[in-house]
Amino acid sequence: MNNPVTIIGAGLGGLVLARVLSGHGMPVEVYEAEATAAARSQGGMLDIHDYNGQLAIEAAGLTDEFRRIVLAGRQAMRFLGTDGTVLFEKGDDGSGGRPEVQRGDLRRILLDSLPTGAVRWGAKARTVRGLGHGRHAVTFADGSTMETELLVGADGAWSRIRPLLSDAVPEYTGESYVETYLYDATTRHPRVAKMVGEGSMYAPSATEGIVAHRESGGTLHAYISLTRPLDWFDDIDFTDRATAAARVVQEFQGWAPELTALITDADGGPVLRPLHALPLGHRWDRVPGVTLLGDAAHLVAPNGEGANLAMLDGAELGKALAARPGDIEAAIAEYEQAMFPRTAEVPQDEELMASIFGGTPPDSVLALLAEEGERP
């Protein structure tokens, strides 16, 4: 392959692909809509699993860099009742297989590993069209156009590349998150910080839930889950922090005040995050010269696997292309045929609990999750 592989999107999956390809001496260009690497916050914590995400990091040759950004102690977790009662708690002794890192730190080590100029910032893809014989043309928001022999859509839920392969579009799952932040929580919000603990905290109920993570710098990052129709949120002005928080907290009557303080006492947010998903088992027929990875290919509601699977997609596609540099189509076909079944099932509660706790999960937690239909 003498011409660059074109990757649309500089998320984790696209960057792993770029790193694996460049590590094999293959030319690559990444086009990203954001103006710079620091254009926006990169989200919160990610638990990187030893059976997928860490395999991708190893394929990218960044295991040492990854270990340096792991936040010690953050695999600790607790499940609470709505009254704040601790139903289950597990500390972090360093032996778990799901170390936590900040998404922004992980993205940084991937970016730093790429050749200078590999990412072209401020390049928002607008339209894409086939030119025949596996070639495609991408037009960007500034009117510029480029052509490529291999186009990879790593551009997330609302991918501009997906329509080349599939008519599927993400649909609302019926659940939304309201995202909040409490800063310097140990000092400024000590009761809330004590309730959250040292790692992750889950407080589920039938149609509401609160999840919080202790991030670096004493930040508590919370996701307030509401199972509601999307238009239910239309009357909430999320630009008015106090009013929005007051409306959301009404849905948590009777909950412990240390839990609802993650809504009412937030220093950042609330920000509405509606959850969308592609049909489970989404796949497509082979189209020459183009493929997808990550959320562009298999978007699901958050279940702890999304970033891990996106990175594994990037690693597996990169390895396939490196192994067959003279036969792009065979490489893509090999990647897709392995990726489709890998991403076709959402882990069930029992599988998730077993992977988190090891052995037999606590009966009380499993019963609670099964009864309330929630998943951490």
Side-chain angles (χ1 to χ4, degrees), residues 176-180 222-226 233 238 248 270-273:
S176 290
Y177 285 167
V178 176
E179 188 177 14
T180 66
Y223 301 91
I224 315 305
S225 169
L226 292 164
F233 298 93
F238 282 93
V248 171
V271 177
L272 178 64
R273 307 287 189 196

Side-chain angles (χ1 to χ4, degrees), residues 154-165:
D155 50 341
W158 308 103
S159 172
R160 297 283 184 172
I161 310 305
R162 188 191 300 121
L164 291 171
L165 297 161

